[in-house]
């Protein structure tokens, strides 16, 4: 292990990393209210609001990448995001099929 790897400081709290796995919008809201994202340069405006609204998992991945790089937490959140995005299409197609049968 190099000295650089030992000197990395992570700013994200553990509660954020765990809560963002299950409720990403809520965890981002709590983080914003707590002002813990102060060292990240996230621009206030329409685009971050739209990303928070439509792609919260992508925003969480971006924040984790800024804080830790490609870490274990980044990989875990990436796998959860891919499984959620991959499974949501199947859910909606089953729902439409059931409606057509009626």
């Amino acid at each position: 292990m190099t000295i650089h790897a030992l000197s990395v400081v992570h700013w994200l709290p553990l509660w954020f990393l765990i809560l963002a796995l299950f409720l990403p919008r809520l965890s981002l809201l709590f983080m914003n209210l707590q002002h813990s994202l102060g060292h990240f340069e996230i621009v206030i405006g329409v685009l971050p609001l739209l990303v928070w609204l439509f792609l919260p998992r992508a925003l969480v991945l971006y924040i984790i990448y800024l804080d830790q790089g490609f870490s274990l937490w980044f990989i875990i959140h990436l796998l959860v995001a891919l499984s959620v995005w991959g499974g949501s299409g199947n859910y909606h197609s089953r729902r439409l099929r059931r409606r057509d049968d009626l």
Side-chain angles (χ1 to χ4, degrees), residues 59-97:
L59 186 58
V60 168
L61 281 171
Y62 177 68
I63 290 171
I64 292 173
Y65 176 74
L66 286 179
D67 184 47
Q68 301 176 359
F70 288 107
S71 65
L72 180 62
W73 281 109
F74 183 84
I75 293 169
I76 291 170
H77 278 270
L78 181 64
L79 291 175
V80 168
L82 291 176
S83 66
V84 167
W85 289 331
S88 67
N90 189 20
Y91 169 76
H92 292 293
S93 65
R94 276 188 285 126
R95 190 171 172 195
L96 288 175
R97 240 182 284 137

Side-chain angles (χ1 to χ4, degrees), residues 15-85:
W15 68 262
F16 174 78
L17 295 170
I18 294 172
L19 185 63
L21 285 171
F22 305 105
L23 301 168
R25 284 187 188 99
L26 193 61
S27 63
L28 287 168
L29 178 67
F30 287 158
M31 227 15 194
N32 193 19
L33 292 175
Q34 188 183 5
H35 300 290
S36 295
L37 294 177
H39 67 284
F40 293 115
E41 296 296 327
I42 297 177
V43 180
I44 305 293
V46 176
L47 185 61
L49 183 63
L50 290 176
V51 172
W52 176 80
L53 186 63
F54 295 115
L55 296 171
R57 294 197 185 273
L59 186 58
V60 168
L61 281 171
Y62 177 68
I63 290 171
I64 292 173
Y65 176 74
L66 286 179
D67 184 47
Q68 301 176 359
F70 288 107
S71 65
L72 180 62
W73 281 109
F74 183 84
I75 293 169
I76 291 170
H77 278 270
L78 181 64
L79 291 175
V80 168
L82 291 176
S83 66
V84 167
W85 289 331

